[in-house]
Amino acid sequence: MHYLAGIKTFIPIEALAPNALLDNDTGKATSTQNRSDCRRGGEGWVEYGALDTVYDNRATGVEACLDSNYLDTHEGSSTVKEIKPPAYQWARKYVMYLGGLAPSSAINACHLLGSDLSGSGTDLRNLATCSRQANTAVRGDGRIADHMFSYESQVKHAIDSGQVVYYSVRRHPLSERDRLVRAGCA
């Protein structure tokens, strides 16, 4: 299991203990039911979580079972300028307020399920506001090695080599303080 800023990213099925069943909240094995293949009826699948109406219709997560057949028949898409996830404009303004990089290079509309893994760049259930550093490789200050694209590339490589991958990303819930700061109340 890999984590990025508290977000679960993916679990290659082969890495699980034999006959493990995953708990949907923790990603840990909880039963002895056979879960060596997450496909349903031999097919891969993707399920986006419902939008969180309490917090500006933010994406809540995605679960998927991905294999090469699924990726061959389900094309992902890039993000588009016209569609921005909740808090995107706020984050850009906050970066400017802090005197950081230009907002256009600091803030991204990020896929929860990357476009190379069949994720939609237009469905708000699959988009979250994040820093560019969390999303992809950058040069200079703020560079981090474990960005989402690095994990997505590992998942894609595993699928391309014939593995079936169970993939799960969950939004980390905002604390009450974070919600108040975002609303300008703290």
Side-chain angles (χ1 to χ4, degrees):
M1 170 114 31
H2 293 278
Y3 292 88
L4 177 65
I7 301 172
K8 287 189 241 182
T9 53
F10 74 92
I11 305 170
I13 293 300
E14 287 74 13
L16 296 173
N19 300 320
L21 178 66
L22 299 177
D23 174 89
N24 284 337
D25 293 326
T26 65
K28 295 180 180 173
T30 60
S31 171
T32 58
Q33 180 179 339
N34 187 342
R35 182 68 179 220
S36 63
D37 188 338
C38 58
R39 292 177 286 193
R40 297 176 182 160
E43 302 281 327
W45 51 269
V46 171
E47 291 179 358
Y48 294 112
L51 295 175
D52 185 343
T53 57
V54 174
Y55 293 110
D56 303 326
N57 289 320
R58 292 182 345 149
T60 57
V62 62
E63 285 190 78
C65 180
L66 304 171
D67 62 13
S68 56
N69 262 355
Y70 189 85
L71 295 187
D72 288 345
T73 58
H74 295 81
E75 189 173 332
S77 61
S78 298
T79 57
V80 295
K81 275 186 168 183
E82 297 77 26
I83 299 176
K84 299 299 179 203
Y88 183 85
Q89 295 301 337
W90 173 87
R92 288 174 54 113
K93 288 177 187 174
Y94 195 63
V95 165
M96 285 177 41
Y97 169 78
L98 294 175
L101 298 171
S104 60
S105 62
I107 302 300
N108 286 177
C110 302
H111 291 77
L112 299 181
L113 178 65
S115 60
D116 285 349
L117 302 174
S118 78
S120 170
T122 58
D123 187 335
L124 286 174
R125 296 174 303 162
N126 191 46
L127 298 175
T129 298
C130 73
S131 71
R132 180 136 183 94
Q133 291 90 339
N135 195 30
T136 192
V138 297
R139 291 186 172 97
D141 293 339
R143 179 179 171 85
I144 59 175
D146 295 329
H147 48 78
M148 285 303 293
F149 185 73
S150 69
Y151 291 120
E152 292 162 0
S153 296
Q154 292 173 52
V155 171
K156 181 76 165 85
H157 178 73
I159 294 167
D160 289 346
S161 67
Q163 295 183 47
V164 174
V165 177
Y166 173 76
Y167 184 97
S168 177
V169 175
R170 300 262 167 77
R171 172 184 60 97
H172 191 304
L174 284 176
S175 69
E176 182 63 15
R177 180 172 177 357
D178 290 340
R179 187 187 63 74
L180 292 172
V181 167
R182 239 189 97 228
C185 301

